[in-house]
Amino acid sequence: MAHPGTFPITRFDLHWERVINGWTQYSPLLDHVGAVIAKYAPEIWAVIFLLLWFWPPLRQNRARRAVVYAVVAGVLALAINVVISHLTPYRPRPFVYEPSVIHQLVSHKADTSFPSDHAAGSFAFAVGLFYAGVSDGLWALLFAVAVALARVFVGLHWPTDVLAGAVVGLVAGFVVLSLRRSLEWLVQLLFRIFSIQPERRYLRRR
């Protein structure tokens, strides 16, 4: 039973946390991959954004605009999470709540687990990258799902933590895409800073 004043742990959370975290018993390779994704997701996203920004010739394109929208969406999602975490009671992480049951693969301080910042940021990034193209967005969305599952797998989050984070990220992403014209000043500023030249064919389609 949850201590008074704490965010309740549901039966759904207990069941699926034990199921997903239980996968740690089957493969050291799976453990390693899950731990890397759970711990280094922000760094992996940063590499993805840098590749999309610098890999093609320095011409304005949808991919670079998508990077801007994705980053803004991620910042918005994390800001929303900060508000939610301050409005909701403390929720112990799985490795704190069930230390004798949960296999903790990644070290973490025992702060509140709800909602998941990693899931919120990842899903916001994924929605933003849909602006680059459907295939880009789908790959990003698959990675966002992997990040959310990994955070549960390594014992840092309950399933509803990452589900709530995913919802926050999706909302933030769609809000930013719907208001992207108001971000044109930021896009143009970054294009000037990095000396990214206009591409007439693209500008006519935009």
Side-chain angles (χ1 to χ4, degrees):
M1 181 178 295
H3 188 277
T6 63
F7 199 114
I9 310 300
T10 66
R11 291 183 179 180
F12 173 88
D13 282 312
L14 288 171
H15 173 73
W16 286 107
E17 176 63 37
R18 291 170 181 173
V19 169
I20 298 173
N21 182 253
W23 298 343
T24 58
Q25 304 175 49
Y26 299 120
S27 168
L29 177 60
L30 180 62
D31 291 357
H32 181 70
V33 172
V36 168
I37 293 175
K39 186 174 183 178
Y40 296 108
E43 289 83 354
I44 296 172
W45 280 114
V47 170
I48 292 171
F49 293 152
L50 289 172
L51 287 174
L52 288 173
W53 190 265
F54 290 107
W55 188 277
L58 290 178
R59 296 287 185 272
Q60 295 179 17
N61 57 31
R62 295 184 70 89
R64 289 193 173 91
R65 289 176 178 273
V67 169
V68 177
Y69 303 148
V71 172
V72 173
V75 171
L76 176 60
L78 293 178
I80 295 172
N81 264 21
V82 168
V83 174
I84 293 175
S85 65
H86 280 82
L87 294 178
T88 54
Y90 170 77
R91 193 182 210 194
R93 293 179 183 272
F95 69 86
V96 174
Y97 192 80
E98 295 187 310
S100 62
V101 177
I102 297 300
H103 299 88
Q104 184 186 0
L105 301 184
V106 175
S107 60
H108 200 287
K109 61 182 180 180
D111 55 353
T112 187
S113 69
F114 184 90
S116 167
D117 289 341
H118 281 69
S122 293
F123 277 87
F125 293 155
V127 173
L129 290 183
F130 266 99
Y131 186 79
V134 174
S135 61
D136 300 89
L138 287 176
W139 281 111
L141 189 60
L142 284 174
F143 182 61
V145 171
V147 171
L149 283 173
R151 298 294 288 184
V152 177
F153 174 75
V154 301
L156 298 184
H157 281 291
W158 303 100
T160 51
D161 295 339
V162 298
L163 288 173
V167 171
V168 169
L170 291 171
V171 169
F174 284 119
V175 167
V176 168
L177 286 185
S178 66
L179 300 175
R180 63 182 181 273
R181 291 187 182 278
S182 63
L183 294 173
E184 187 62 22
W185 66 271
L186 177 59
V187 172
Q188 292 303 324
L189 175 62
L190 292 170
F191 284 172
R192 287 196 296 271
I193 291 173
F194 290 97
S195 300
I196 296 175
Q197 301 301 315
E199 188 174 61
R200 292 182 180 178
R201 183 176 60 184
Y202 169 71
L203 292 177
R204 286 200 300 267
R205 289 201 308 264
R206 184 169 59 84

PDB file of all heavy atoms in Angstrom, residues 147-177:
ATOM      1  N   VAL A 147      12.970   4.052 -26.167  1.00  0.00           N
ATOM      2  CA  VAL A 147      13.425   4.791 -24.980  1.00  0.00           C
ATOM      3  C   VAL A 147      12.451   4.585 -23.823  1.00  0.00           C
ATOM      4  O   VAL A 147      12.861   4.317 -22.682  1.00  0.00           O
ATOM      5  CB  VAL A 147      13.573   6.293 -25.296  1.00  0.00           C
ATOM      6  CG1 VAL A 147      13.838   7.091 -24.017  1.00  0.00           C
ATOM      7  CG2 VAL A 147      14.695   6.522 -26.298  1.00  0.00           C
ATOM      8  N   ALA A 148      11.154   4.705 -24.104  1.00  0.00           N
ATOM      9  CA  ALA A 148      10.151   4.540 -23.051  1.00  0.00           C
ATOM     10  C   ALA A 148      10.215   3.131 -22.454  1.00  0.00           C
ATOM     11  O   ALA A 148      10.193   2.967 -21.225  1.00  0.00           O
ATOM     12  CB  ALA A 148       8.764   4.820 -23.625  1.00  0.00           C
ATOM     13  N   LEU A 149      10.293   2.116 -23.313  1.00  0.00           N
ATOM     14  CA  LEU A 149      10.383   0.744 -22.815  1.00  0.00           C
ATOM     15  C   LEU A 149      11.665   0.524 -22.025  1.00  0.00           C
ATOM     16  O   LEU A 149      11.667  -0.161 -21.000  1.00  0.00           O
ATOM     17  CB  LEU A 149      10.319  -0.236 -23.986  1.00  0.00           C
ATOM     18  CG  LEU A 149       8.938  -0.491 -24.590  1.00  0.00           C
ATOM     19  CD1 LEU A 149       9.056  -1.355 -25.840  1.00  0.00           C
ATOM     20  CD2 LEU A 149       8.017  -1.158 -23.569  1.00  0.00           C
ATOM     21  N   ALA A 150      12.765   1.109 -22.504  1.00  0.00           N
ATOM     22  CA  ALA A 150      14.043   0.933 -21.825  1.00  0.00           C
ATOM     23  C   ALA A 150      14.011   1.506 -20.413  1.00  0.00           C
ATOM     24  O   ALA A 150      14.598   0.930 -19.488  1.00  0.00           O
ATOM     25  CB  ALA A 150      15.161   1.586 -22.632  1.00  0.00           C
ATOM     26  N   ARG A 151      13.345   2.628 -20.234  1.00  0.00           N
ATOM     27  CA  ARG A 151      13.277   3.241 -18.901  1.00  0.00           C
ATOM     28  C   ARG A 151      12.510   2.356 -17.918  1.00  0.00           C
ATOM     29  O   ARG A 151      12.821   2.325 -16.721  1.00  0.00           O
ATOM     30  CB  ARG A 151      12.611   4.623 -18.992  1.00  0.00           C
ATOM     31  CG  ARG A 151      13.349   5.625 -19.845  1.00  0.00           C
ATOM     32  CD  ARG A 151      14.687   6.024 -19.279  1.00  0.00           C
ATOM     33  NE  ARG A 151      14.551   6.873 -18.102  1.00  0.00           N
ATOM     34  CZ  ARG A 151      15.571   7.428 -17.458  1.00  0.00           C
ATOM     35  NH1 ARG A 151      16.816   7.208 -17.863  1.00  0.00           N
ATOM     36  NH2 ARG A 151      15.379   8.192 -16.406  1.00  0.00           N
ATOM     37  N   VAL A 152      11.513   1.634 -18.420  1.00  0.00           N
ATOM     38  CA  VAL A 152      10.790   0.670 -17.586  1.00  0.00           C
ATOM     39  C   VAL A 152      11.656  -0.575 -17.379  1.00  0.00           C
ATOM     40  O   VAL A 152      11.759  -1.109 -16.270  1.00  0.00           O
ATOM     41  CB  VAL A 152       9.445   0.290 -18.243  1.00  0.00           C
ATOM     42  CG1 VAL A 152       8.726  -0.775 -17.410  1.00  0.00           C
ATOM     43  CG2 VAL A 152       8.559   1.527 -18.394  1.00  0.00           C
ATOM     44  N   PHE A 153      12.290  -1.030 -18.444  1.00  0.00           N
ATOM     45  CA  PHE A 153      13.118  -2.236 -18.432  1.00  0.00           C
ATOM     46  C   PHE A 153      14.227  -2.166 -17.387  1.00  0.00           C
ATOM     47  O   PHE A 153      14.488  -3.137 -16.670  1.00  0.00           O
ATOM     48  CB  PHE A 153      13.713  -2.419 -19.832  1.00  0.00           C
ATOM     49  CG  PHE A 153      14.700  -3.539 -19.967  1.00  0.00           C
ATOM     50  CD1 PHE A 153      14.274  -4.864 -19.998  1.00  0.00           C
ATOM     51  CD2 PHE A 153      16.063  -3.285 -20.084  1.00  0.00           C
ATOM     52  CE1 PHE A 153      15.187  -5.901 -20.143  1.00  0.00           C
ATOM     53  CE2 PHE A 153      16.974  -4.304 -20.227  1.00  0.00           C
ATOM     54  CZ  PHE A 153      16.540  -5.626 -20.251  1.00  0.00           C
ATOM     55  N   VAL A 154      14.879  -1.012 -17.270  1.00  0.00           N
ATOM     56  CA  VAL A 154      16.019  -0.903 -16.343  1.00  0.00           C
ATOM     57  C   VAL A 154      15.593  -0.582 -14.917  1.00  0.00           C
ATOM     58  O   VAL A 154      16.438  -0.436 -14.032  1.00  0.00           O
ATOM     59  CB  VAL A 154      17.032   0.153 -16.833  1.00  0.00           C
ATOM     60  CG1 VAL A 154      17.562  -0.211 -18.205  1.00  0.00           C
ATOM     61  CG2 VAL A 154      16.427   1.560 -16.821  1.00  0.00           C
ATOM     62  N   GLY A 155      14.289  -0.443 -14.677  1.00  0.00           N
ATOM     63  CA  GLY A 155      13.786  -0.254 -13.318  1.00  0.00           C
ATOM     64  C   GLY A 155      13.694   1.172 -12.835  1.00  0.00           C
ATOM     65  O   GLY A 155      13.570   1.416 -11.637  1.00  0.00           O
ATOM     66  N   LEU A 156      13.726   2.141 -13.769  1.00  0.00           N
ATOM     67  CA  LEU A 156      13.688   3.550 -13.368  1.00  0.00           C
ATOM     68  C   LEU A 156      12.295   4.162 -13.395  1.00  0.00           C
ATOM     69  O   LEU A 156      12.058   5.174 -12.724  1.00  0.00           O
ATOM     70  CB  LEU A 156      14.620   4.376 -14.271  1.00  0.00           C
ATOM     71  CG  LEU A 156      16.096   4.021 -14.236  1.00  0.00           C
ATOM     72  CD1 LEU A 156      16.882   4.994 -15.101  1.00  0.00           C
ATOM     73  CD2 LEU A 156      16.630   4.013 -12.813  1.00  0.00           C
ATOM     74  N   HIS A 157      11.388   3.595 -14.187  1.00  0.00           N
ATOM     75  CA  HIS A 157      10.052   4.170 -14.329  1.00  0.00           C
ATOM     76  C   HIS A 157       8.982   3.093 -14.331  1.00  0.00           C
ATOM     77  O   HIS A 157       9.210   1.963 -14.782  1.00  0.00           O
ATOM     78  CB  HIS A 157       9.939   4.969 -15.633  1.00  0.00           C
ATOM     79  CG  HIS A 157      10.534   6.332 -15.575  1.00  0.00           C
ATOM     80  ND1 HIS A 157       9.988   7.351 -14.823  1.00  0.00           N
ATOM     81  CD2 HIS A 157      11.625   6.865 -16.182  1.00  0.00           C
ATOM     82  CE1 HIS A 157      10.726   8.444 -14.969  1.00  0.00           C
ATOM     83  NE2 HIS A 157      11.724   8.165 -15.778  1.00  0.00           N
ATOM     84  N   TRP A 158       7.808   3.483 -13.849  1.00  0.00           N
ATOM     85  CA  TRP A 158       6.617   2.654 -13.979  1.00  0.00           C
ATOM     86  C   TRP A 158       6.036   2.854 -15.382  1.00  0.00           C
ATOM     87  O   TRP A 158       6.248   3.909 -15.996  1.00  0.00           O
ATOM     88  CB  TRP A 158       5.578   3.041 -12.924  1.00  0.00           C
ATOM     89  CG  TRP A 158       6.056   2.951 -11.527  1.00  0.00           C
ATOM     90  CD1 TRP A 158       6.486   3.975 -10.727  1.00  0.00           C
ATOM     91  CD2 TRP A 158       6.170   1.760 -10.737  1.00  0.00           C
ATOM     92  NE1 TRP A 158       6.856   3.512  -9.503  1.00  0.00           N
ATOM     93  CE2 TRP A 158       6.668   2.150  -9.470  1.00  0.00           C
ATOM     94  CE3 TRP A 158       5.893   0.410 -10.970  1.00  0.00           C
ATOM     95  CZ2 TRP A 158       6.907   1.227  -8.449  1.00  0.00           C
ATOM     96  CZ3 TRP A 158       6.129  -0.512  -9.960  1.00  0.00           C
ATOM     97  CH2 TRP A 158       6.626  -0.104  -8.717  1.00  0.00           C
ATOM     98  N   PRO A 159       5.283   1.883 -15.884  1.00  0.00           N
ATOM     99  CA  PRO A 159       4.685   2.036 -17.210  1.00  0.00           C
ATOM    100  C   PRO A 159       3.848   3.299 -17.374  1.00  0.00           C
ATOM    101  O   PRO A 159       3.907   3.955 -18.420  1.00  0.00           O
ATOM    102  CB  PRO A 159       3.829   0.766 -17.356  1.00  0.00           C
ATOM    103  CG  PRO A 159       4.571  -0.251 -16.541  1.00  0.00           C
ATOM    104  CD  PRO A 159       5.101   0.506 -15.364  1.00  0.00           C
ATOM    105  N   THR A 160       3.069   3.671 -16.351  1.00  0.00           N
ATOM    106  CA  THR A 160       2.251   4.874 -16.494  1.00  0.00           C
ATOM    107  C   THR A 160       3.091   6.145 -16.472  1.00  0.00           C
ATOM    108  O   THR A 160       2.652   7.186 -16.961  1.00  0.00           O
ATOM    109  CB  THR A 160       1.167   4.949 -15.401  1.00  0.00           C
ATOM    110  OG1 THR A 160       1.755   4.754 -14.122  1.00  0.00           O
ATOM    111  CG2 THR A 160       0.080   3.900 -15.648  1.00  0.00           C
ATOM    112  N   ASP A 161       4.303   6.078 -15.919  1.00  0.00           N
ATOM    113  CA  ASP A 161       5.213   7.227 -15.997  1.00  0.00           C
ATOM    114  C   ASP A 161       5.558   7.530 -17.448  1.00  0.00           C
ATOM    115  O   ASP A 161       5.527   8.686 -17.884  1.00  0.00           O
ATOM    116  CB  ASP A 161       6.518   6.945 -15.242  1.00  0.00           C
ATOM    117  CG  ASP A 161       6.331   6.780 -13.749  1.00  0.00           C
ATOM    118  OD1 ASP A 161       5.311   7.256 -13.213  1.00  0.00           O
ATOM    119  OD2 ASP A 161       7.212   6.175 -13.118  1.00  0.00           O
ATOM    120  N   VAL A 162       5.924   6.481 -18.192  1.00  0.00           N
ATOM    121  CA  VAL A 162       6.334   6.703 -19.584  1.00  0.00           C
ATOM    122  C   VAL A 162       5.128   6.952 -20.487  1.00  0.00           C
ATOM    123  O   VAL A 162       5.218   7.678 -21.473  1.00  0.00           O
ATOM    124  CB  VAL A 162       7.187   5.535 -20.122  1.00  0.00           C
ATOM    125  CG1 VAL A 162       8.475   5.411 -19.310  1.00  0.00           C
ATOM    126  CG2 VAL A 162       6.434   4.223 -20.123  1.00  0.00           C
ATOM    127  N   LEU A 163       3.974   6.360 -20.142  1.00  0.00           N
ATOM    128  CA  LEU A 163       2.764   6.640 -20.919  1.00  0.00           C
ATOM    129  C   LEU A 163       2.360   8.101 -20.770  1.00  0.00           C
ATOM    130  O   LEU A 163       2.012   8.764 -21.753  1.00  0.00           O
ATOM    131  CB  LEU A 163       1.626   5.716 -20.478  1.00  0.00           C
ATOM    132  CG  LEU A 163       1.742   4.252 -20.877  1.00  0.00           C
ATOM    133  CD1 LEU A 163       0.624   3.425 -20.230  1.00  0.00           C
ATOM    134  CD2 LEU A 163       1.689   4.097 -22.394  1.00  0.00           C
ATOM    135  N   ALA A 164       2.415   8.602 -19.541  1.00  0.00           N
ATOM    136  CA  ALA A 164       2.095  10.015 -19.318  1.00  0.00           C
ATOM    137  C   ALA A 164       3.108  10.906 -20.026  1.00  0.00           C
ATOM    138  O   ALA A 164       2.749  11.907 -20.656  1.00  0.00           O
ATOM    139  CB  ALA A 164       2.072  10.317 -17.819  1.00  0.00           C
ATOM    140  N   GLY A 165       4.380  10.544 -19.937  1.00  0.00           N
ATOM    141  CA  GLY A 165       5.406  11.311 -20.636  1.00  0.00           C
ATOM    142  C   GLY A 165       5.189  11.310 -22.135  1.00  0.00           C
ATOM    143  O   GLY A 165       5.370  12.337 -22.800  1.00  0.00           O
ATOM    144  N   ALA A 166       4.793  10.157 -22.680  1.00  0.00           N
ATOM    145  CA  ALA A 166       4.527  10.070 -24.116  1.00  0.00           C
ATOM    146  C   ALA A 166       3.396  11.005 -24.520  1.00  0.00           C
ATOM    147  O   ALA A 166       3.473  11.679 -25.558  1.00  0.00           O
ATOM    148  CB  ALA A 166       4.192   8.627 -24.503  1.00  0.00           C
ATOM    149  N   VAL A 167       2.341  11.042 -23.726  1.00  0.00           N
ATOM    150  CA  VAL A 167       1.208  11.929 -24.027  1.00  0.00           C
ATOM    151  C   VAL A 167       1.660  13.385 -24.007  1.00  0.00           C
ATOM    152  O   VAL A 167       1.318  14.170 -24.903  1.00  0.00           O
ATOM    153  CB  VAL A 167       0.055  11.702 -23.023  1.00  0.00           C
ATOM    154  CG1 VAL A 167      -1.022  12.774 -23.193  1.00  0.00           C
ATOM    155  CG2 VAL A 167      -0.552  10.325 -23.216  1.00  0.00           C
ATOM    156  N   VAL A 168       2.434  13.752 -22.998  1.00  0.00           N
ATOM    157  CA  VAL A 168       2.949  15.122 -22.918  1.00  0.00           C
ATOM    158  C   VAL A 168       3.788  15.441 -24.147  1.00  0.00           C
ATOM    159  O   VAL A 168       3.658  16.505 -24.759  1.00  0.00           O
ATOM    160  CB  VAL A 168       3.785  15.308 -21.638  1.00  0.00           C
ATOM    161  CG1 VAL A 168       4.538  16.649 -21.677  1.00  0.00           C
ATOM    162  CG2 VAL A 168       2.906  15.257 -20.400  1.00  0.00           C
ATOM    163  N   GLY A 169       4.659  14.515 -24.530  1.00  0.00           N
ATOM    164  CA  GLY A 169       5.506  14.733 -25.697  1.00  0.00           C
ATOM    165  C   GLY A 169       4.721  14.868 -26.978  1.00  0.00           C
ATOM    166  O   GLY A 169       5.014  15.734 -27.816  1.00  0.00           O
ATOM    167  N   LEU A 170       3.719  14.022 -27.162  1.00  0.00           N
ATOM    168  CA  LEU A 170       2.889  14.090 -28.368  1.00  0.00           C
ATOM    169  C   LEU A 170       2.142  15.417 -28.440  1.00  0.00           C
ATOM    170  O   LEU A 170       2.087  16.057 -29.499  1.00  0.00           O
ATOM    171  CB  LEU A 170       1.892  12.924 -28.388  1.00  0.00           C
ATOM    172  CG  LEU A 170       2.494  11.519 -28.590  1.00  0.00           C
ATOM    173  CD1 LEU A 170       1.431  10.457 -28.378  1.00  0.00           C
ATOM    174  CD2 LEU A 170       3.106  11.391 -29.986  1.00  0.00           C
ATOM    175  N   VAL A 171       1.571  15.830 -27.313  1.00  0.00           N
ATOM    176  CA  VAL A 171       0.846  17.105 -27.289  1.00  0.00           C
ATOM    177  C   VAL A 171       1.799  18.260 -27.607  1.00  0.00           C
ATOM    178  O   VAL A 171       1.487  19.129 -28.426  1.00  0.00           O
ATOM    179  CB  VAL A 171       0.180  17.320 -25.913  1.00  0.00           C
ATOM    180  CG1 VAL A 171      -0.355  18.748 -25.787  1.00  0.00           C
ATOM    181  CG2 VAL A 171      -0.947  16.315 -25.710  1.00  0.00           C
ATOM    182  N   ALA A 172       2.961  18.266 -26.964  1.00  0.00           N
ATOM    183  CA  ALA A 172       3.935  19.339 -27.199  1.00  0.00           C
ATOM    184  C   ALA A 172       4.371  19.363 -28.659  1.00  0.00           C
ATOM    185  O   ALA A 172       4.484  20.438 -29.277  1.00  0.00           O
ATOM    186  CB  ALA A 172       5.151  19.150 -26.292  1.00  0.00           C
ATOM    187  N   GLY A 173       4.595  18.189 -29.244  1.00  0.00           N
ATOM    188  CA  GLY A 173       5.013  18.120 -30.635  1.00  0.00           C
ATOM    189  C   GLY A 173       3.972  18.662 -31.583  1.00  0.00           C
ATOM    190  O   GLY A 173       4.284  19.446 -32.497  1.00  0.00           O
ATOM    191  N   PHE A 174       2.723  18.263 -31.381  1.00  0.00           N
ATOM    192  CA  PHE A 174       1.648  18.733 -32.262  1.00  0.00           C
ATOM    193  C   PHE A 174       1.392  20.230 -32.093  1.00  0.00           C
ATOM    194  O   PHE A 174       1.081  20.926 -33.059  1.00  0.00           O
ATOM    195  CB  PHE A 174       0.367  17.937 -32.009  1.00  0.00           C
ATOM    196  CG  PHE A 174       0.392  16.551 -32.598  1.00  0.00           C
ATOM    197  CD1 PHE A 174       0.271  15.437 -31.787  1.00  0.00           C
ATOM    198  CD2 PHE A 174       0.559  16.356 -33.965  1.00  0.00           C
ATOM    199  CE1 PHE A 174       0.313  14.162 -32.312  1.00  0.00           C
ATOM    200  CE2 PHE A 174       0.603  15.085 -34.509  1.00  0.00           C
ATOM    201  CZ  PHE A 174       0.477  13.980 -33.683  1.00  0.00           C
ATOM    202  N   VAL A 175       1.531  20.726 -30.863  1.00  0.00           N
ATOM    203  CA  VAL A 175       1.364  22.167 -30.635  1.00  0.00           C
ATOM    204  C   VAL A 175       2.425  22.950 -31.396  1.00  0.00           C
ATOM    205  O   VAL A 175       2.131  23.946 -32.078  1.00  0.00           O
ATOM    206  CB  VAL A 175       1.439  22.492 -29.127  1.00  0.00           C
ATOM    207  CG1 VAL A 175       1.600  23.996 -28.908  1.00  0.00           C
ATOM    208  CG2 VAL A 175       0.190  21.992 -28.410  1.00  0.00           C
ATOM    209  N   VAL A 176       3.668  22.491 -31.305  1.00  0.00           N
ATOM    210  CA  VAL A 176       4.755  23.198 -31.992  1.00  0.00           C
ATOM    211  C   VAL A 176       4.575  23.142 -33.503  1.00  0.00           C
ATOM    212  O   VAL A 176       4.743  24.157 -34.193  1.00  0.00           O
ATOM    213  CB  VAL A 176       6.122  22.609 -31.585  1.00  0.00           C
ATOM    214  CG1 VAL A 176       7.228  23.130 -32.500  1.00  0.00           C
ATOM    215  CG2 VAL A 176       6.426  22.972 -30.137  1.00  0.00           C
ATOM    216  N   LEU A 177       4.206  21.990 -34.045  1.00  0.00           N
ATOM    217  CA  LEU A 177       4.015  21.895 -35.495  1.00  0.00           C
ATOM    218  C   LEU A 177       2.851  22.772 -35.961  1.00  0.00           C
ATOM    219  O   LEU A 177       2.908  23.367 -37.037  1.00  0.00           O
ATOM    220  CB  LEU A 177       3.779  20.448 -35.909  1.00  0.00           C
ATOM    221  CG  LEU A 177       5.005  19.529 -35.899  1.00  0.00           C
ATOM    222  CD1 LEU A 177       4.636  18.162 -36.455  1.00  0.00           C
ATOM    223  CD2 LEU A 177       6.148  20.126 -36.714  1.00  0.00           C
TER     224      LEU A 177
END
